[in-house]
mmCIF file of all heavy atoms in Angstrom:
data_model
loop_
_atom_site.group_PDB
_atom_site.id
_atom_site.type_symbol
_atom_site.label_atom_id
_atom_site.label_comp_id
_atom_site.label_asym_id
_atom_site.label_seq_id
_atom_site.Cartn_x
_atom_site.Cartn_y
_atom_site.Cartn_z
ATOM 1 N N GLN F 144 11.235 14.703 3.919
ATOM 2 C CA GLN F 144 11.474 14.439 2.523
ATOM 3 C C GLN F 144 12.072 13.023 2.260
ATOM 4 O O GLN F 144 13.039 12.774 2.941
ATOM 5 C CB GLN F 144 12.320 15.473 1.876
ATOM 6 C CG GLN F 144 12.414 15.540 0.401
ATOM 7 C CD GLN F 144 11.202 16.108 -0.313
ATOM 8 O OE1 GLN F 144 10.347 16.734 0.492
ATOM 9 N NE2 GLN F 144 11.153 15.983 -1.662
ATOM 10 N N GLU F 149 14.417 3.932 -8.310
ATOM 11 C CA GLU F 149 14.134 2.473 -8.725
ATOM 12 C C GLU F 149 15.105 1.969 -9.636
ATOM 13 O O GLU F 149 15.921 2.796 -10.367
ATOM 14 C CB GLU F 149 12.750 2.409 -9.563
ATOM 15 C CG GLU F 149 11.447 2.857 -8.691
ATOM 16 C CD GLU F 149 11.190 4.393 -8.952
ATOM 17 O OE1 GLU F 149 12.101 5.041 -9.418
ATOM 18 O OE2 GLU F 149 9.974 4.627 -8.856
ATOM 19 N N GLY F 152 14.747 -2.570 -13.810
ATOM 20 C CA GLY F 152 13.870 -2.889 -15.021
ATOM 21 C C GLY F 152 14.676 -3.302 -16.150
ATOM 22 O O GLY F 152 15.968 -3.463 -16.215
ATOM 23 N N GLY F 153 13.904 -3.744 -17.240
ATOM 24 C CA GLY F 153 14.677 -4.200 -18.515
ATOM 25 C C GLY F 153 13.736 -4.996 -19.366
ATOM 26 O O GLY F 153 12.532 -4.883 -19.190
ATOM 27 N N VAL F 155 12.574 -8.573 -20.991
ATOM 28 C CA VAL F 155 12.590 -9.950 -20.624
ATOM 29 C C VAL F 155 11.523 -10.696 -21.377
ATOM 30 O O VAL F 155 10.598 -10.045 -21.859
ATOM 31 C CB VAL F 155 12.278 -10.117 -19.094
ATOM 32 C CG1 VAL F 155 10.966 -9.590 -18.717
ATOM 33 C CG2 VAL F 155 12.513 -11.660 -18.696
ATOM 34 N N ALA F 157 8.588 -13.360 -22.110
ATOM 35 C CA ALA F 157 7.402 -13.844 -21.429
ATOM 36 C C ALA F 157 7.770 -15.143 -20.733
ATOM 37 O O ALA F 157 8.388 -16.068 -21.215
ATOM 38 C CB ALA F 157 6.206 -14.003 -22.364
ATOM 39 N N ARG F 162 13.531 -8.657 -10.804
ATOM 40 C CA ARG F 162 13.397 -8.051 -9.453
ATOM 41 C C ARG F 162 13.594 -6.629 -9.534
ATOM 42 O O ARG F 162 14.751 -6.153 -9.832
ATOM 43 C CB ARG F 162 14.347 -8.685 -8.468
ATOM 44 C CG ARG F 162 13.882 -8.305 -7.124
ATOM 45 C CD ARG F 162 14.773 -9.015 -5.932
ATOM 46 N NE ARG F 162 16.112 -8.479 -5.832
ATOM 47 C CZ ARG F 162 16.695 -8.513 -4.581
ATOM 48 N NH1 ARG F 162 16.190 -9.156 -3.591
ATOM 49 N NH2 ARG F 162 17.968 -7.955 -4.541
ATOM 50 N N ALA F 176 4.503 3.119 4.648
ATOM 51 C CA ALA F 176 4.178 2.134 3.848
ATOM 52 C C ALA F 176 4.741 2.289 2.406
ATOM 53 O O ALA F 176 4.935 3.490 2.058
ATOM 54 C CB ALA F 176 2.608 1.950 3.736
ATOM 55 N N MET F 177 5.051 1.235 1.723
ATOM 56 C CA MET F 177 5.655 1.320 0.429
ATOM 57 C C MET F 177 4.790 0.755 -0.672
ATOM 58 O O MET F 177 4.255 -0.429 -0.357
ATOM 59 C CB MET F 177 7.069 0.757 0.404
ATOM 60 C CG MET F 177 8.030 1.374 1.368
ATOM 61 S SD MET F 177 8.284 3.162 0.913
ATOM 62 C CE MET F 177 9.129 2.968 -0.637
ATOM 63 N N ALA F 183 1.224 1.678 -18.251
ATOM 64 C CA ALA F 183 1.423 1.334 -19.635
ATOM 65 C C ALA F 183 1.189 2.366 -20.546
ATOM 66 O O ALA F 183 0.316 3.317 -20.248
ATOM 67 C CB ALA F 183 0.568 0.153 -20.057
ATOM 68 N N PRO F 184 1.700 2.499 -21.752
ATOM 69 C CA PRO F 184 1.398 3.626 -22.758
ATOM 70 C C PRO F 184 -0.147 3.589 -23.081
ATOM 71 O O PRO F 184 -0.728 2.637 -23.286
ATOM 72 C CB PRO F 184 2.173 3.161 -23.922
ATOM 73 C CG PRO F 184 3.276 2.330 -23.415
ATOM 74 C CD PRO F 184 2.699 1.589 -22.208
ATOM 75 N N GLY F 185 -0.641 4.788 -22.861
ATOM 76 C CA GLY F 185 -2.014 5.076 -23.260
ATOM 77 C C GLY F 185 -3.097 4.503 -22.131
ATOM 78 O O GLY F 185 -4.195 4.624 -22.353
ATOM 79 N N ARG F 188 -2.422 5.048 -14.629
ATOM 80 C CA ARG F 188 -1.537 4.363 -13.684
ATOM 81 C C ARG F 188 -2.270 3.328 -12.719
ATOM 82 O O ARG F 188 -3.438 3.615 -12.437
ATOM 83 C CB ARG F 188 -0.922 5.328 -12.554
ATOM 84 C CG ARG F 188 0.055 4.776 -11.697
ATOM 85 C CD ARG F 188 0.784 5.883 -10.952
ATOM 86 N NE ARG F 188 -0.149 6.692 -10.163
ATOM 87 C CZ ARG F 188 0.110 8.118 -10.026
ATOM 88 N NH1 ARG F 188 1.127 8.612 -10.504
ATOM 89 N NH2 ARG F 188 -0.810 8.715 -9.362
ATOM 90 N N ILE F 194 3.165 -2.807 0.745
ATOM 91 C CA ILE F 194 3.594 -3.403 2.010
ATOM 92 C C ILE F 194 3.629 -2.418 3.120
ATOM 93 O O ILE F 194 4.075 -1.328 2.930
ATOM 94 C CB ILE F 194 5.045 -4.046 1.897
ATOM 95 C CG1 ILE F 194 5.415 -4.924 3.048
ATOM 96 C CG2 ILE F 194 6.050 -3.091 1.524
ATOM 97 C CD1 ILE F 194 6.578 -5.849 2.841
ATOM 98 N N ALA F 201 -0.345 -6.457 0.192
ATOM 99 C CA ALA F 201 -1.466 -6.464 -0.581
ATOM 100 C C ALA F 201 -1.164 -6.504 -2.077
ATOM 101 O O ALA F 201 -0.170 -5.780 -2.386
ATOM 102 C CB ALA F 201 -2.416 -5.338 -0.246
ATOM 103 N N ASP F 215 13.357 -4.250 3.146
ATOM 104 C CA ASP F 215 14.449 -4.411 4.045
ATOM 105 C C ASP F 215 14.686 -3.027 4.706
ATOM 106 O O ASP F 215 15.282 -2.106 4.074
ATOM 107 C CB ASP F 215 15.621 -4.837 3.227
ATOM 108 C CG ASP F 215 16.972 -5.129 4.060
ATOM 109 O OD1 ASP F 215 16.925 -4.705 5.241
ATOM 110 O OD2 ASP F 215 17.747 -6.005 3.767
ATOM 111 N N LEU F 228 6.262 -13.422 -16.016
ATOM 112 C CA LEU F 228 5.876 -12.240 -16.615
ATOM 113 C C LEU F 228 5.193 -12.440 -17.941
ATOM 114 O O LEU F 228 5.488 -13.341 -18.755
ATOM 115 C CB LEU F 228 7.151 -11.313 -16.775
ATOM 116 C CG LEU F 228 7.702 -10.628 -15.496
ATOM 117 C CD1 LEU F 228 9.106 -10.257 -15.757
ATOM 118 C CD2 LEU F 228 6.770 -9.523 -15.165
ATOM 119 N N ALA F 234 5.249 -1.986 -18.796
ATOM 120 C CA ALA F 234 4.939 -0.659 -18.131
ATOM 121 C C ALA F 234 6.103 0.038 -17.665
ATOM 122 O O ALA F 234 7.205 -0.667 -17.456
ATOM 123 C CB ALA F 234 3.774 -0.843 -17.125
ATOM 124 N N GLY F 239 6.292 4.101 -4.496
ATOM 125 C CA GLY F 239 5.960 5.204 -3.795
ATOM 126 C C GLY F 239 5.930 4.973 -2.292
ATOM 127 O O GLY F 239 5.808 3.716 -1.812
ATOM 128 N N GLY F 245 -5.994 0.576 3.634
ATOM 129 C CA GLY F 245 -6.950 -0.075 2.676
ATOM 130 C C GLY F 245 -6.617 0.194 1.350
ATOM 131 O O GLY F 245 -6.752 -0.590 0.360
ATOM 132 N N THR F 246 -6.107 1.456 1.110
ATOM 133 C CA THR F 246 -5.581 1.888 -0.137
ATOM 134 C C THR F 246 -4.305 2.604 0.136
ATOM 135 O O THR F 246 -4.046 3.012 1.245
ATOM 136 C CB THR F 246 -6.477 2.734 -0.940
ATOM 137 O OG1 THR F 246 -6.829 4.004 -0.233
ATOM 138 C CG2 THR F 246 -7.827 2.019 -1.267
ATOM 139 N N VAL F 249 0.030 7.707 -1.624
ATOM 140 C CA VAL F 249 1.582 8.075 -1.800
ATOM 141 C C VAL F 249 1.861 9.549 -1.575
ATOM 142 O O VAL F 249 1.072 10.433 -2.127
ATOM 143 C CB VAL F 249 1.827 7.605 -3.285
ATOM 144 C CG1 VAL F 249 3.313 7.994 -3.554
ATOM 145 C CG2 VAL F 249 1.650 6.039 -3.534
ATOM 146 N N GLU F 250 2.808 9.705 -0.916
ATOM 147 C CA GLU F 250 3.294 11.092 -0.594
ATOM 148 C C GLU F 250 4.558 11.407 -1.373
ATOM 149 O O GLU F 250 4.850 12.511 -1.656
ATOM 150 C CB GLU F 250 3.692 11.238 0.919
ATOM 151 C CG GLU F 250 2.359 10.930 1.827
ATOM 152 C CD GLU F 250 2.728 11.046 3.277
ATOM 153 O OE1 GLU F 250 3.744 11.618 3.573
ATOM 154 O OE2 GLU F 250 2.003 10.501 4.081
ATOM 155 N N TYR F 251 5.342 10.357 -1.704
ATOM 156 C CA TYR F 251 6.600 10.608 -2.377
ATOM 157 C C TYR F 251 6.656 9.444 -3.547
ATOM 158 O O TYR F 251 6.347 8.364 -3.283
ATOM 159 C CB TYR F 251 7.861 10.467 -1.539
ATOM 160 C CG TYR F 251 7.814 11.425 -0.443
ATOM 161 C CD1 TYR F 251 7.414 10.890 0.932
ATOM 162 C CD2 TYR F 251 8.177 12.795 -0.630
ATOM 163 C CE1 TYR F 251 7.339 11.929 1.935
ATOM 164 C CE2 TYR F 251 8.142 13.612 0.511
ATOM 165 C CZ TYR F 251 7.797 13.225 1.750
ATOM 166 O OH TYR F 251 7.807 14.124 2.763
#
Side-chain angles (χ1 to χ4, degrees):
Q144 188 78 7
E149 301 94 335
V155 64
R162 189 176 81 152
M177 300 296 296
R188 184 174 60 213
I194 187 165
D215 185 337
L228 283 162
T246 60
V249 176
E250 299 176 21
Y251 303 100

